[in-house]
């Protein structure tokens, strides 16, 4: 099961997983037309569940869909997410709330509803798509970072708790990846920064690596791990760089900003 499968990383993951022998997929997102078109283009058995994951009854609806398609679940990829830029002074608690609702609460609520099935289907796995922004925060992305910091902390704890139940919990931390929601236009326009941007297919590979029996975490691209290390070992340097003029170049606009 892949959430946020209607575009970007989720869609690339669905395409990648569909090439694995014996795969049966459930695609989850709001845009039904996109899910239907993707399902029709994949070479494996696929169903889809069009749902807004922030709705109160979303976990039950996804759970009911799963029951209709068999009682086994060997991989849950919690990927759906979005970012709305804005400083705290401008965007306030409302912006923190909408990030937490989608990027954290919806993940926790769906996982709660599906964990009994994942345990019953063990060996199985959960892969949470976090972000490098869940290790290092920049100006105007505080609400997004808060939701991903929360997701990372919760994922680490779940990893330790579910090990003995045969449910592997993996985590992927992408950097700048060109997708519909995160076009990274500002970075791609400049020759100096173009190289820092990667593709959703790379994240899809990392999701496979952190799936059942796999690794606990993967940065995509891998060198982004250095940013996380620097934040711990050289906090004042990182703070100085990220509050200086150059840091503005690293805060890209997202499509959620217009929505
Ligand atoms: N691209 C990057 O640079 C980057 C970097 C770090 C982390 N990430 C993370 O990667 C994940 C995927 O993002 P992406 O880059 O692939 O962006 P994307 O192309 O915008 O995909 C986001 C997906 O989430 C779904 N979604 C959004 N709100 C939803 C809701 N309320 N209910 C159900 N589904 C919802 C969207 O589908 P519908 O609109 O059809 O619902 C879409 O399929 C996110 O968690 C993001 O935070 C991305």
């Amino acid at each position: 099961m892949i959430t946020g499968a209607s575009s970007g990383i989720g869609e690339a993951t669905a395409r990648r997983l569909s090439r694995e022998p014996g795969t049966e997929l459930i695609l989850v997102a709001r845009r039904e037309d996109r899910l239907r078109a993707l399902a029709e283009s994949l070479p494996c058995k696929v169903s889809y569940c069009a749902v807004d994951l922030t709705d109160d009854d979303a976990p039950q609806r996804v759970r009911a869909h799963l029951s209709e398609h068999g009682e086994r679940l060997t991989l849950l990829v919690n990927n759906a997410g979005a970012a709305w830029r804005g400083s705290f002074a401008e965007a306030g608690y409302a912006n923190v709330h909408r990030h937490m609702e989608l990027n954290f609460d919806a993940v926790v609520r769906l996982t709660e509803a599906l964990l009994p099935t994942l345990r019953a289907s063990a060996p199985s796995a959960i892969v949470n798509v976090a972000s490098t922004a869940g290790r290092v925060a920049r100006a105007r992305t505080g609400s997004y970072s808060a939701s991903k910091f929360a997701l990372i902390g919760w994922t680490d704890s779940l990893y330790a708790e579910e090990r003995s139940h045969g449910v592997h919990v993996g985590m992927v931390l992408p950097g700048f990846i060109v997708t519909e929601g995160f076009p990274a236009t500002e970075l791609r326009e400049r020759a100096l920064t173009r190289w820092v941007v990667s593709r959703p297919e790379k994240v899809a590979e990392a999701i496979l690596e952190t799936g059942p029996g796999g690794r606990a975490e993967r940065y995509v691209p891998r060198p982004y791990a250095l940013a996380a290390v620097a934040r711990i070992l050289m906090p004042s340097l990182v703070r100085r760089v990220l509050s200086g003029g150059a840091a503005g170049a690293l805060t890209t606009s997202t499509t959620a900003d217009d929505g």
Side-chain angles (χ1 to χ4, degrees):
M1 179 180 294
I2 306 164
T3 73
S6 61
S7 65
I9 293 168
E11 179 180 344
T13 304
R15 292 195 188 284
R16 177 63 189 83
L17 277 169
S18 73
R19 302 205 304 266
E20 293 294 302
T23 299
E24 191 173 332
L25 291 176
I26 298 178
L27 313 176
V28 180
R30 290 168 303 179
R31 287 170 294 176
E32 189 168 2
D33 52 334
R34 297 284 289 260
L35 295 178
R36 188 184 312 117
L38 176 61
E40 284 169 4
S41 74
L42 296 178
C44 66
K45 207 168 163 192
V46 196
S47 68
Y48 56 85
C49 179
V51 65
D52 184 331
L53 287 167
T54 64
D55 284 349
D56 285 348
D57 64 349
Q60 287 66 41
R61 285 174 55 196
V62 176
R63 177 80 195 75
H65 179 95
L66 175 65
S67 300
E68 286 165 20
H69 292 81
E71 270 304 323
R72 270 179 65 73
L73 182 63
T74 51
L75 176 61
L76 167 63
V77 182
N78 283 312
N79 163 74
W84 295 266
R85 304 305 189 210
S87 71
F88 183 62
E90 288 160 12
Y93 172 68
N95 204 31
V96 177
H97 180 256
R98 67 176 166 179
H99 279 93
M100 291 304 290
E101 198 177 30
L102 175 62
N103 296 346
F104 182 67
D105 294 350
V107 176
V108 174
R109 291 169 60 235
L110 183 64
T111 304
E112 181 179 39
L114 299 177
L115 193 56
T117 311
L118 284 156
R119 281 187 177 185
S121 310
S124 58
I126 299 167
V127 177
N128 291 336
V129 179
S131 173
T132 311
R135 298 283 196 206
V136 183
R138 291 157 289 143
R140 303 185 63 76
T141 67
S143 306
Y144 179 70
S145 271
S147 67
K148 296 294 187 178
F149 268 75
L151 182 63
I152 288 172
W154 178 73
T155 302
D156 278 347
S157 175
L158 196 64
Y159 173 91
E161 290 171 5
E162 290 306 313
R163 238 173 107 87
S164 59
H165 297 281
V167 184
H168 169 77
V169 180
M171 177 165 67
V172 172
L173 300 95
F176 294 108
I177 311 293
V178 185
T179 62
E180 207 174 282
F182 299 76
T185 315
E186 299 88 338
L187 296 173
R188 284 186 297 137
E189 275 168 354
R190 275 181 244 117
L192 197 66
T193 50
R194 203 169 292 147
W195 62 275
V196 300
V197 181
S198 189
R199 291 178 299 109
E201 290 73 20
K202 299 264 185 201
V203 188
E205 285 301 334
I207 288 171
L208 250 74
E209 277 179 39
T210 51
R215 301 166 60 104
E217 68 179 55
R218 252 293 308 273
Y219 288 84
V220 189
R222 282 190 171 87
Y224 276 69
L226 296 174
V229 171
R231 174 62 187 83
I232 300 295
L233 298 181
M234 296 175 278
S236 18
L237 174 67
V238 171
R239 240 181 234 118
R240 212 171 327 131
V241 170
L242 291 181
S243 51
L250 295 175
T251 306
T252 56
S253 55
T254 70
T255 50
D257 297 335
D258 316 320

